[in-house]
Amino acid sequence: MKKHALLPLLATTCAMVLAFSNNANALTLGDERDLGQVLPASPSGDQDRTDYVNHLISLAPDTTGDTFQGQVFNRSFVNTGPGFPNYPTAIFDHNGTGTSVDLGNGTLFSYLFAKYDDTCGGAEVWYVGGLSGAITIPDVGPFGQEFPLSGWTLFGPGATSTPDSGTTVALLGLGLAGLADLRARFGRS
């Protein structure tokens, strides 16, 4: 196989691996997408949950003990996705139950709010922008009491329009491979 024919094949393979690297199988408490907690997250109607998520994402990373609407907010140090202060506003989409959550094609949702126990526990919030497919979430909360999952909510508007780093690297690799191919075809100038 000629050297200049191998380069585009290698670049395409790398691009495909990087493009599909945003699929996650599970979210865990304290992982790289965990934005923080709301305690006790009660009341917990659709508008309450929307307000809680929007307040949490307005906090600087590693803010603990902030209060709003009778709740205590603990913002993790994680600054994933577009990062603080550039998180898109949370827009309620739908509620669900169980530990399996379908995130669709990766452009539909920005946040996942998981409520643990109806009135006594709290809630965990993750940034899910750019993730796709079915994921699982913990069936018990992180609050030391081991409260069970009572339900979850997904919020749009979806991932930001800026490509993530994997897509950016893939596109750069394809561009460079194309330039190498053109150079090989037309010779050095």
Side-chain angles (χ1 to χ4, degrees):
M1 190 176 232
K2 293 182 179 178
K3 187 166 80 171
H4 64 83
L6 185 59
L7 185 59
L9 178 63
L10 181 60
T12 303
T13 303
C14 289
M16 289 176 59
V17 168
L18 289 171
F20 293 109
S21 65
N22 274 340
N23 294 335
N25 294 332
L27 296 176
T28 58
L29 305 171
D31 70 11
E32 68 277 355
R33 289 183 166 270
D34 186 343
L35 294 176
Q37 300 90 32
V38 182
L39 304 168
S42 185
S44 191
D46 297 344
Q47 187 58 55
D48 297 312
R49 291 178 179 205
T50 303
D51 292 344
Y52 299 158
V53 172
N54 281 320
H55 185 73
L56 185 68
I57 63 176
S58 76
L59 299 174
D62 209 21
T63 299
T64 59
D66 185 76
T67 58
F68 172 73
Q69 291 186 346
Q71 310 299 311
V72 176
F73 293 80
N74 295 316
R75 175 67 168 82
S76 75
F77 63 90
V78 172
N79 202 21
T80 189
F84 176 82
N86 301 313
Y87 286 108
T89 301
I91 299 172
F92 174 82
D93 192 275
H94 71 278
N95 295 314
T97 58
T99 59
S100 182
V101 181
D102 185 0
L103 297 175
N105 66 9
T107 64
L108 304 174
F109 308 110
S110 293
Y111 311 101
L112 173 60
F113 175 101
K115 178 71 170 99
Y116 293 91
D117 194 44
D118 287 329
T119 58
C120 301
E124 196 75 18
V125 179
W126 291 274
Y127 177 76
V128 296
L131 293 180
S132 62
I135 60 163
T136 59
I137 58 175
D139 59 350
V140 293
F143 312 107
Q145 302 97 346
E146 300 297 315
F147 288 127
L149 177 68
S150 55
W152 49 261
T153 303
L154 282 170
F155 296 89
T160 60
S161 60
T162 305
D164 62 69
S165 59
T167 304
T168 303
V169 170
L171 291 172
L172 177 62
L174 286 173
L176 291 174
L179 287 174
D181 187 49
L182 285 173
R183 184 174 179 190
R185 285 179 192 231
F186 296 109
R188 297 176 194 204
S189 301

